[in-house]
Amino acid sequence: MTPAPPKAAARTYGVYRPVLPVTSPRSPDRMVYTGDADGRCEIFTWDRSTGAGRQLTDRPHGTLLCAVDEDEAVWWFDEDRGGSGGWRTQDFDGGPDRPALSGVPYGRPAGLALAAGGRVAVGIRGPGGLSVHTGRRGGTATPVLRTTDSGTLCGLAPDGSLLAVSGPAHSARAVTLLSPDGTTVAVLSGAAEPTWALGFAPLPAPLPTSTPLPGPAASSAHPLLLVMRERAGRYHLGTWAPGRGLELLPWCSFDTETTARWYPGPGGARVLLRQDRHGRSRLFTADLDRHELTPVPTPEGSILDASPAADGDVHFIWTDAVNVPRALSLSGAPLPGQSQWRLPRFGRRRDLWTPGPDGPVHTLVTTPADRPAPYPLVFLVHGGPADHDRDAYDPMVQALVGSGYAVARVNYRGSTGYGPRWRSAYSEGVGHTQVADLVRARAELLDRGIGREGAVGLCGTSWGGYLTLLAMGTHPGLWNAGVAVKPLADCVTAFRHSTPALQALDTALFGGTPDEVPEAYAHASPSSYAAAIRSPLLVIAARRDAKCPPEQVEAYLDVLRAGGVAHELMWLDSGHDGYDGADHLAVIRRSLRFLGRGLPAAPARAEPSSHPEGR
């Protein structure tokens, strides 16, 4: 009998979201994963064949990032509360932990790549920008790259002969290929066609051929880099190899955002692809030799992550609106994260498509099952902007619907999952385009009798918090309460105190820096409209936030105070992405109390509810 797996999870607003385990290259039964330890994320090991498992890390504020190399040394990132630190290692079966690679500066993680023979490459971000270092586990690092440009290490060839560094996908240096001595071997530009690197084939691979063959391509082995490129409104899979360059695969393209991973081990060039489309997900396998694209059967809903295993199995995180995310495998083999938690399932969900200037706007609507319409209505605004809301279990949705609110999640223009044209549609300006979609969805929900006039609120985190503040300032008569969690609040101050990666994103989004296009930043900044807010506002910010820095929140609060705008404030002693469930629960509770005062809900019907509890 196969032993039952332990819980694997990351904290997400007070509920556990499973994280895919990382499988040992030596044995598919030995796994490393991020799990729950008394409300914190920590690193665990588990041997499926014996059922033996142990907690590897125990840090006051949690641990998230982990990996395992071919010698079954477990890697984990030892970071402080601000997100900076360094990699450490420990044997899978126990023993002391030690620095993984000496000589790497203290900083934020920017990529880890493990190759054969103990070779490793580490990317780290510090005050001076990105640095990339190579070496062998337990040894001394050799610097390969130092740059002030935005970038992330995304791969190391199995033989150690090449490194791949990703820059912004739309930039002239979307992908840079380097030799171990730092020499630039090739640069893939994304200026005309955005380009993403997805990692090297796990073994030096035969080059895919231009015509299908009955078996793996019979050509000499080369490092082979997997690439996705946007062209003519579609996302095309491709490969790059030394001496051959980039070659797109015309038989393997998608109309919405898709990512891919190599299958590990020998046996030909096979790839697992995950497509996000209209709030749901699909999996495919691609055989690069045979030119075959095959759907992978999975339940309807959202796949939050997927990974091929060394034994040919596929592991994935699946969820839908009423089922808590679970770690599953196609073979049915147990994985960490087969949760037995009993969590509530409230409400009824529907899809709403609202006409708009660039196409219909998709909204996921969830309404209480035990109360009559119209309902007090809360817009849960997703972050990103390059992200989207999904047909997925969301604890904040359940908390709100269980309290009597209807919840609308709008995949406004700029969201992923609807194709390149939708993702780049900013015809009404940065921020204002997205707010216009929220306004259109609001009007339709009220016209349909779902929402109640005078009881409409906004709640968002990060970019969603930005849109909450911008909407409340530019359309103050439409919203009756707002909660902005870790928001972008003052665009200029945020740029001055932000990371190089986010500065590059802003420069592309606005068409320049604040010094070059000051009017664009002012037009998009919530602080320009803060004095006009008339409804109750709760701002929740983090003192150690590098993505939405506290300095720009303080600048926004100064405008509120100068304008005499009533507001509530909550500070967290954390970064942008906390790993401690207590912080997430504190945010959810404070938000619900605040919204309850601004948007009182109707009482439930007297008869008992028929919706079941989840397990």
Side-chain angles (χ1 to χ4, degrees), residues 32 103 391 409 444 484 486 597:
V32 178
D391 178 13
R409 294 178 292 160
E444 180 160 359
K486 301 179 183 178
R597 295 196 302 270

Side-chain angles (χ1 to χ4, degrees), residues 456-512:
V456 183
L458 295 158
C459 181
T461 299
S462 191
W463 181 271
Y466 159 72
L467 294 179
T468 294
L469 297 179
L470 188 64
M472 292 190 71
T474 56
H475 297 81
L478 299 184
W479 319 104
N480 305 103
V483 178
V485 182
K486 301 179 183 178
L488 170 64
D490 183 282
C491 293
V492 173
T493 309
F495 187 94
R496 306 292 187 210
H497 293 271
S498 194
T499 65
L502 290 174
Q503 288 176 338
L505 174 65
D506 285 349
T507 300
L509 200 57
F510 289 106

